[in-house]
Amino acid sequence: MPHDHHDHDHLSPSGHPYRQDNDGALTYWQTMEIAIRELMIEKGELSAAQIQAQIDAMDERSPANGAAVVARAWTDPDFRNRLLANGSDAAREMGFDIGPMHLVAVENTAHIHNLIVCTLCSCYPRNLLGLPPDWYKTREYRSRAVREPRAVLREFGVELPVTTTLRVHDSTADMRYIVLPARPAGTDGLSVDALAKLVTRDSMIGTGLAKAP
Amino acid sequence: MDDPTHRWHDMGGDAAGPVPLEGHDFAIWEKRVDALVILGQQRGHFTVDGLRRALEDMGEAAFESMTYYERWVAALNQNLVEAGVYSLEELGAKMEDVKARGDTYGAVQS
């Protein structure tokens, strides 16, 4: 049947199917990306290996990096103090490449909850969390996080007590926030590694809470 | 601009609908755009502010009609042309060359 033939046509020279996102009709903007990349390589601006290395470095960044910082802050009061005093330096201390930006850690407590947004664009602590989720970049999140943050949090399944102070932090290209979530109850005996597993991406954006053990 | 004190990209506080929570894994072409944007800055051809200026000047229609990395590749291109890394003529010729190789992203890689 035609569909089988269609699938067969989409095997790459290596015999594997192309990634689904590579086998749609070539778009204008994809064509531009290829052209820019090839021009920069031809002109000696960049090498293909450099571009791949940058992608690899990006792929290695994930919320696990931020979770390691959070778990250490939960277990090492001196580190927590350094993190809150200078997030960039504290993250560098753990070996993370923060680049030139200022990283500001904001701490959730029993009475304060923090939420981060970039109302102007998509600034995000990508060096610690990886690339931002799609919703972080949407008009809906950017507009409403500073207008009705409690309603936004409810859409993420977080219902804050009315007595909790909610602070919303608007990031810029040069200054990016990360939330230090509150340590869950019942985690006294857990190791740093076990604690890190409770730290979700959303808990470091403020649209979630750390998981219960 | 309807309101010169509040450009379109300054969305904080506007009314909007529910946050769409569905996401997608980044395609390789999107990761390459991201990498080229970072490396283009490291080469000194533009700054993050130059990238944002191009994105913001595209206007609201582009925000609504183009995907995130489509807007980024357009802004990257504008900055690289302005920096003299290549000309628009060179870009156009290269894009024609790429298109002539095939019909899918996977098929036209050199």
Side-chain angles (χ1 to χ4, degrees):
Chain A
M1 67 197 224
H3 196 77
D4 291 335
H5 181 69
H6 172 88
D7 284 348
H8 184 75
D9 275 352
H10 284 74
L11 295 182
S12 72
S14 68
H16 296 287
Y18 285 114
R19 281 177 57 126
Q20 193 178 358
D21 43 42
N22 290 346
D23 69 3
L26 181 68
T27 69
Y28 176 82
W29 301 109
Q30 290 172 345
T31 307
M32 184 179 285
E33 177 273 309
I34 299 168
I36 293 171
R37 178 160 43 92
E38 293 186 1
L39 283 170
M40 291 192 82
I41 291 170
E42 286 168 18
K43 289 177 178 290
E45 287 280 340
L46 299 172
S47 69
Q50 262 180 304
I51 298 166
Q52 189 56 47
Q54 177 63 33
I55 292 172
D56 290 345
M58 182 166 57
D59 281 344
E60 279 171 20
R61 293 185 195 136
S62 79
N65 295 2
V69 172
V70 169
R72 174 144 180 226
W74 283 348
T75 54
D76 180 344
D78 290 338
F79 179 77
R80 168 197 165 273
N81 293 341
R82 292 199 295 279
L83 179 67
L84 295 177
N86 186 327
S88 306
D89 284 350
R92 287 190 191 109
E93 186 187 318
M94 289 187 68
F96 297 117
D97 170 23
I98 298 302
M101 70 176 178
H102 298 289
L103 182 71
V104 179
V106 287
E107 184 181 41
N108 287 351
T109 68
H111 305 291
I112 296 170
H113 185 88
N114 295 281
L115 179 69
I116 63 174
V117 63
C118 176
T119 63
L120 294 175
C121 43
S122 56
C123 302
Y124 185 75
R126 52 159 58 200
N127 294 54
L128 277 186
L129 300 187
L131 295 176
D134 288 345
W135 56 257
Y136 187 83
K137 305 183 282 190
T138 60
R139 170 187 295 280
E140 290 81 2
Y141 185 74
R142 290 166 53 181
S143 297
R144 292 177 54 232
V146 293
R147 178 189 176 103
E148 44 180 0
R150 286 174 195 268
V152 170
L153 287 180
R154 274 194 292 276
E155 289 169 27
F156 284 86
V158 175
E159 181 75 47
L160 291 181
V162 291
T163 51
T164 300
T165 299
L166 177 53
R167 293 180 179 158
V168 183
H169 305 268
D170 197 356
S171 315
T172 70
D174 308 310
M175 190 168 76
R176 311 197 179 196
Y177 296 93
I178 185 168
V179 175
L180 173 54
R183 180 169 172 167
T187 57
D188 284 355
L190 293 187
S191 68
V192 175
D193 289 345
L195 286 169
K197 289 188 170 57
L198 304 178
V199 183
T200 63
R201 178 195 69 198
D202 284 8
S203 75
M204 293 180 279
I205 302 174
T207 51
L209 307 175
K211 292 188 283 190
Chain B
M1 263 336 108
D2 293 330
D3 177 357
T5 65
H6 183 77
R7 289 188 75 197
W8 71 270
H9 68 277
D10 187 3
M11 296 178 182
D14 291 351
V19 179
L21 294 179
E22 66 278 7
H24 81 295
D25 287 334
F26 295 103
I28 184 64
W29 86 271
E30 294 177 305
K31 292 184 180 185
R32 284 172 170 156
V33 171
D34 198 285
L36 290 169
V37 166
I38 302 290
L39 294 169
Q41 291 176 74
Q42 286 179 7
R43 295 281 301 165
H45 294 307
F46 58 95
T47 64
V48 68
D49 304 297
L51 183 78
R52 280 192 51 198
R53 184 253 313 162
L55 291 167
E56 291 162 11
D57 285 353
M58 274 176 221
E60 193 159 18
F63 182 83
E64 299 296 347
S65 64
M66 294 163 67
T67 68
Y68 186 78
Y69 280 107
E70 287 174 349
R71 284 177 274 128
W72 266 43
V73 76
L76 168 69
N77 178 59
Q78 184 178 334
N79 276 275
L80 291 176
V81 170
E82 287 173 1
V85 176
Y86 53 76
S87 68
L88 275 177
E89 290 71 24
E90 288 176 296
L91 178 79
K94 179 62 85 174
M95 286 180 70
E96 288 305 312
D97 173 48
V98 170
K99 275 195 290 185
R101 296 177 201 159
D103 297 326
T104 69
Y105 186 81
V108 299
Q109 303 298 317
S110 63

